[in-house]
Amino acid sequence: MNNVPDNKDFTMTTSGREGIRGWLNPTRYGWERVSYWLQRLTGLGLLIYFIGHVYETSSLTNGINAWNSMLQLTQTLGGHLFLLFVIGASTFHTVNGIRLIFTESGKGLGKPGRPDYPYHAASLNYKQKSGIWVAILLACIAMLYGGMVLFGQGG
Amino acid sequence: MGEENKKVVLKVFRTNYNKNESSHYDEFEVPVNRWTTVLDALLHVKSYSDTSVGIRYSCRMASCGSCGMKINGRPSLACYTKISELNKDVIVCEPLSNFPRIRDLVTDFSQFFDHHKKIEPFIHNDLVPLDIKDKDDLVEFEQSPKEVDDYLQFSYCIKCGLCYSACPTVATDPSFPGPQALSQTYRYIADNRDNDKSTRFNILDERHGIWRCHFAGSCSAVCPKGVDPALGIQLLKGHMMGFSKNDKKVANLRAKNKE
Ligand code: SF4
Ligand code: FES
């Protein structure tokens, strides 16, 4: 009767957990999973930007030359593209974040009821999906405008 | 209605961790009809090709929750998934993610059930004595259809683990209770017969608890019984933050006033 190995022994090699791979594949389960993935990705990106930003502004303490050479970095093609990412990421993260504040407080999800076949989940409704689409759309518009400003002035 | 005589290839994940076998896929050609389910196809393999394929099943009608597996990459019940609806000539069957694997398609549910037990999945009501000596002490609970609707869909959970397998937080955090246990907590909190929110709130309000859910919604996308665990979890968060209308408090007050 001892066919099933002790949980402790075999979770090490066969835990079956997807790990980070579980986060990285956003395509299997619909828009809510894409939103989850983008919110994480933009959050991490903005954290990196924030650290870089603090480092950049702190260069002021080393004099105006240090500050100016730091500013030069943002005037390169790579710097522009990075700023473009920051614009898109902050717009998406903010708009989707506002949606999530309501969602995670139980608002805008619909009410529990008697489930009928074929069981459409009330929480995965079009109000929620539209919120995600609007966040993506606004991020694209902001990036477009940002791109016009950044590259329109001759880079 | 004539039979279609179509054949599909069933690609089945095989291994036996007790024997330290390395994993591989075996392919079997199976005849299918319009109504053939993945479970039917696997049972055909066991009957006519390879009796050693390890699967778990019981009811064959989406009621017992035993036959969960990944079918073409998505957690599904084998008895509830018709091959004709998959529209593929190759059907890949793999064990559920996020569960320790035992053999072939069979996974170990102990950790999943431990999470379920931890939230104390039964009615707590200190107004009702547990130790009843006289049948006159038995209490009848009044519930309106509206009060039943508040929790009914969550009580349809068959503990199949598909939501647990799809959840991206469970994928990296074994201490996170997972969508099933969290939505079951809401099932009891929303039930007006239960009057002990605080015990369950204390269980869930911790570092690896409910706040790790970020509404990826994948649990509700795969749930085969319409439980919509993501809804239950967000409503539960609303309750914990004091945002939801407290229907139950009102009902409890009404009940007390009647006494
Ligand atoms: S909530 Fe749905 S998917 Fe999760 S265990 Fe219950 S029935 Fe299965
Ligand atoms: S065999 Fe019971 S749920 Fe599939």
Side-chain angles (χ1 to χ4, degrees), chain B:
Chain B
M1 182 92 33
E3 297 205 356
E4 285 157 36
N5 274 337
K6 202 184 153 201
K7 287 198 170 175
V8 294
V9 172
L10 217 55
K11 210 170 150 189
V12 183
F13 180 91
R14 305 295 305 270
T15 194
N16 187 343
Y17 288 107
N18 288 327
K19 293 187 179 159
N20 276 335
E21 276 175 16
S22 59
S23 58
H24 62 280
Y25 289 86
D26 279 344
E27 294 190 4
F28 306 96
E29 208 178 45
V30 193
V32 291
N33 291 309
R34 202 158 42 86
W35 53 84
T36 307
T37 63
V38 174
L39 181 62
D40 292 334
L42 283 164
L43 291 175
H44 186 280
V45 168
K46 278 180 81 69
S47 302
Y48 301 107
S49 308
D50 184 347
T51 49
S52 72
V53 173
I55 52 174
R56 182 165 46 213
Y57 72 100
S58 178
C59 70
R60 305 188 194 199
M61 48 182 273
S63 290
C64 71
S66 319
C67 66
M69 61 184 69
K70 271 199 300 184
I71 299 173
N72 287 353
R74 202 179 153 95
S76 317
L77 291 180
C79 69
Y80 190 58
T81 309
K82 274 196 258 163
I83 287 182
S84 56
E85 284 169 0
L86 294 171
N87 272 330
K88 289 267 173 353
D89 293 328
V90 179
I91 314 291
V92 185
C93 299
E94 293 163 308
L96 286 175
S97 302
N98 303 336
F99 286 88
R101 292 167 179 182
I102 300 174
R103 185 161 82 82
D104 299 346
L105 303 174
V106 182
T107 48
D108 177 21
F109 268 51
S110 7
Q111 194 175 49
F112 173 78
F113 288 138
D114 282 349
H115 282 305
H116 178 64
K117 279 187 219 146
K118 200 174 155 201
I119 59 111
E120 307 191 355
F122 44 85
I123 302 268
H124 289 223
N125 194 323
D126 50 21
L127 301 173
V128 181
L130 286 178
D131 187 17
I132 292 173
K133 300 201 171 61
D134 184 345
K135 75 172 172 27
D136 292 336
D137 289 341
L138 283 169
V139 191
E140 200 179 343
F141 289 101
E142 273 179 33
Q143 267 187 330
S144 68
K146 156 86 187 60
E147 285 162 341
V148 174
D149 283 354
D150 286 343
Y151 70 86
L152 187 71
Q153 83 174 63
F154 304 106
S155 69
Y156 283 178
C157 172
I158 55 171
K159 293 155 205 75
C160 62
L162 302 191
C163 53
Y164 194 79
S165 176
C167 174
T169 305
V170 172
T172 48
D173 185 358
S175 311
F176 177 64
Q180 191 273 342
L182 291 174
S183 58
Q184 287 314 292
T185 311
Y186 183 71
R187 179 252 172 272
Y188 288 98
I189 288 198
D191 189 327
N192 69 328
R193 293 167 296 181
D194 187 282
N195 69 2
D196 183 14
K197 274 184 184 174
S198 55
T199 305
R200 295 199 186 90
F201 281 4
N202 287 338
I203 295 169
L204 298 182
D205 188 11
E206 53 108 18
R207 226 177 117 226
H208 294 276
I210 186 165
W211 310 112
R212 293 237 165 179
C213 164
H214 302 297
F215 190 57
S218 314
C219 49
S220 297
V222 299
C223 177
K225 300 301 285 183
V227 172
D228 197 354
L231 172 65
I233 301 169
Q234 312 320 311
L235 292 175
L236 181 58
K237 284 184 199 164
H239 269 280
M240 290 175 83
M241 292 189 280
F243 290 156
S244 302
K245 261 194 288 155
N246 210 337
D247 294 344
K248 216 168 102 183
K249 214 184 244 168
V250 176
N252 282 344
L253 274 175
R254 249 192 247 135
K256 269 193 190 142
N257 286 344
K258 263 192 204 167
E259 283 164 13

Side-chain angles (χ1 to χ4, degrees), chain A residues 132-143:
Chain A
I132 301 166
W133 295 332
V134 167
I136 294 176
L137 193 74
L138 288 178
C140 291
I141 294 173
M143 282 169 84

Side-chain angles (χ1 to χ4, degrees), chain A residues 52-64:
Chain A
H53 185 62
V54 169
Y55 179 73
E56 182 203 20
T57 42
S58 69
S59 71
L60 248 185
T61 55
N62 298 329
I64 192 74

